[in-house]
Amino acid sequence: MTIIPFHDRDGHIWFDGAMVPWREAQVHVLTHGLHYGSCVFEGERIYNGVIFKSHEHSLRLRRSAELLGFDIPYSVEEIDAAKRDVCKAAGLTNGYLRPVAWRGSEMMGVAAQHNRIHLAVACWEWPSYFTPEARMRGISLEIARWRRPAPDTAPTEAKAAGLYMICTLSKHEAERNGHQDALMLDYRGYVAEATGANFFMVKDGVIHTPIPDCFLNGITRQTIINLARRRGYTVLERHFTLDEVKDATEIFLTGSAAEVTPVGRIGDWTFSPGEVCRSMIADYSDLVNGRLNAEAVAA
């Protein structure tokens, strides 16, 4: 597989209010966000020229920054506009967006009270992870040995770059062992999420999903809950352990990148993606592609 490095591509990136040639969108090696994790980001998709839940993502980006103790010097409306502008500059109607904000390089040390806050937005083509056929076979998850931290040890409501360190460790280990992703528990031993997606299981026709009290309450997660209830499914948000997962009939993950991805295996347990997975995949596709009224789903 040929990998096109992200630092060496054609196009433009919105960077601190200006459209900058892609290869010139650089930061200094002594940037605080690189050394101390003072960085927040979003992952979003554009479908048929419309950025899905753009405003909600921009709100969360600013909220994440506030939780890390800094203010992004652009309003939610300005961030929304920047995303539209970079997609227009790229001629992109379907793909992925990455807004990112970080502390700059004015001070180097734990304290960074006088560092400038930067904001950039990039977009690129990124098709769905799997074909419909491959998706319905389900991916394989390994149980991660790293756990999501308690909310009194880290700002777990923030989509903060530093909180993804254990996700990278967990996903790399899972891939080395022949799996596509890892299932993470929380600090109490409850099921939490995958490394970059929220977790759902189906038992006796009821959908269960963990309470997001120490990890992100994903925007796609909230969307799927609304879609499921609109179909008449009962959705329970609750704490549960791995012992309950092995008896599930269906498992699926949700996220902006993952969309709705069924799971076929967790460790030695196997699952068969079925009617719930199919209906959630179809409804989510209809919603993001404008075939389903968004206001009706939100209600």
Side-chain angles (χ1 to χ4, degrees):
M1 180 178 67
T2 302
I3 297 177
I4 303 173
F6 274 89
H7 70 275
D8 190 19
R9 298 187 175 203
D10 297 326
H12 291 79
I13 291 176
W14 190 98
F15 196 119
D16 287 342
M19 208 65 70
V20 176
W22 190 288
R23 294 175 180 84
E24 297 176 19
Q26 304 288 339
V27 297
H28 195 271
V29 70
L30 295 180
T31 295
H32 195 273
L34 173 63
H35 289 255
Y36 296 98
S38 52
C39 172
V40 297
F41 69 96
E42 285 294 318
E44 309 177 39
R45 281 192 182 271
I46 179 172
Y47 297 92
N48 301 319
V50 179
I51 302 169
F52 184 64
K53 302 274 186 172
S54 176
H55 198 68
E56 289 90 333
H57 281 283
S58 297
L59 283 167
R60 189 171 67 182
L61 183 71
R62 283 189 54 87
R63 174 59 178 159
S64 293
E66 291 168 2
L67 289 167
L68 264 65
F70 65 85
D71 293 320
I72 296 174
Y74 298 94
S75 68
V76 169
E77 291 72 23
E78 288 171 323
I79 298 170
D80 287 343
K83 289 186 284 187
R84 292 193 298 269
D85 289 347
V86 78
C87 288
K88 182 178 180 181
L92 190 70
T93 56
N94 291 278
Y96 185 81
L97 293 97
R98 173 54 56 89
V100 57
W102 68 96
R103 286 190 175 98
S105 54
E106 287 75 14
M107 298 176 65
M108 179 47 60
V110 173
Q113 304 289 359
H114 302 292
N115 287 36
R116 180 182 176 184
I117 305 303
H118 298 272
L119 175 67
V121 183
C123 66
W124 59 89
E125 290 186 7
W126 191 0
S128 296
Y129 278 164
F130 308 102
T131 65
E133 295 76 20
R135 188 189 297 267
M136 287 310 297
R137 287 195 293 269
I139 65 170
S140 176
L141 305 182
E142 180 177 78
I143 307 300
R145 58 191 178 96
W146 299 98
R147 295 192 175 193
R148 301 309 304 171
D152 58 355
T153 63
T156 56
E157 290 181 39
K159 194 170 177 67
L163 291 173
Y164 282 79
M165 178 186 67
I166 57 175
C167 298
T168 298
L169 289 169
S170 298
K171 189 172 179 70
H172 282 187
E173 187 168 19
E175 289 178 341
R176 285 194 299 270
N177 294 329
H179 305 275
Q180 283 80 42
D181 204 347
L183 175 60
M184 304 183 75
L185 307 182
D186 70 15
Y187 64 101
R188 297 159 296 196
Y190 294 130
V191 172
E193 59 178 353
T195 60
N198 288 120
F199 181 91
F200 289 80
M201 70 175 181
V202 182
K203 300 181 72 172
D204 300 321
V206 175
I207 301 173
H208 305 254
T209 188
I211 297 171
D213 55 4
C214 63
F215 56 90
L216 282 181
N217 181 12
I219 291 170
T220 307
R221 174 187 183 274
Q222 297 170 52
T223 301
I224 289 299
I225 289 174
N226 288 338
L227 285 169
R229 287 174 173 161
R230 178 180 179 273
R231 265 195 179 261
Y233 290 119
T234 298
V235 181
L236 299 180
E237 299 179 72
R238 65 183 184 86
H239 296 305
F240 51 87
T241 65
L242 280 171
D243 285 340
E244 293 191 61
V245 174
K246 68 178 184 293
D247 298 321
T249 52
E250 298 184 58
I251 305 281
F252 60 93
L253 307 178
T254 66
S256 293
E259 299 174 300
V260 181
T261 297
V263 173
R265 176 180 294 273
I266 300 177
D268 295 329
W269 306 327
T270 58
F271 308 92
S272 298
E275 180 57 35
V276 176
C277 286
R278 280 191 289 270
S279 63
M280 291 299 94
I281 290 170
D283 287 357
Y284 188 72
S285 178
D286 286 345
L287 178 64
V288 299
N289 287 289
R291 297 187 294 269
L292 189 61
N293 186 285
E295 292 182 1
V297 174

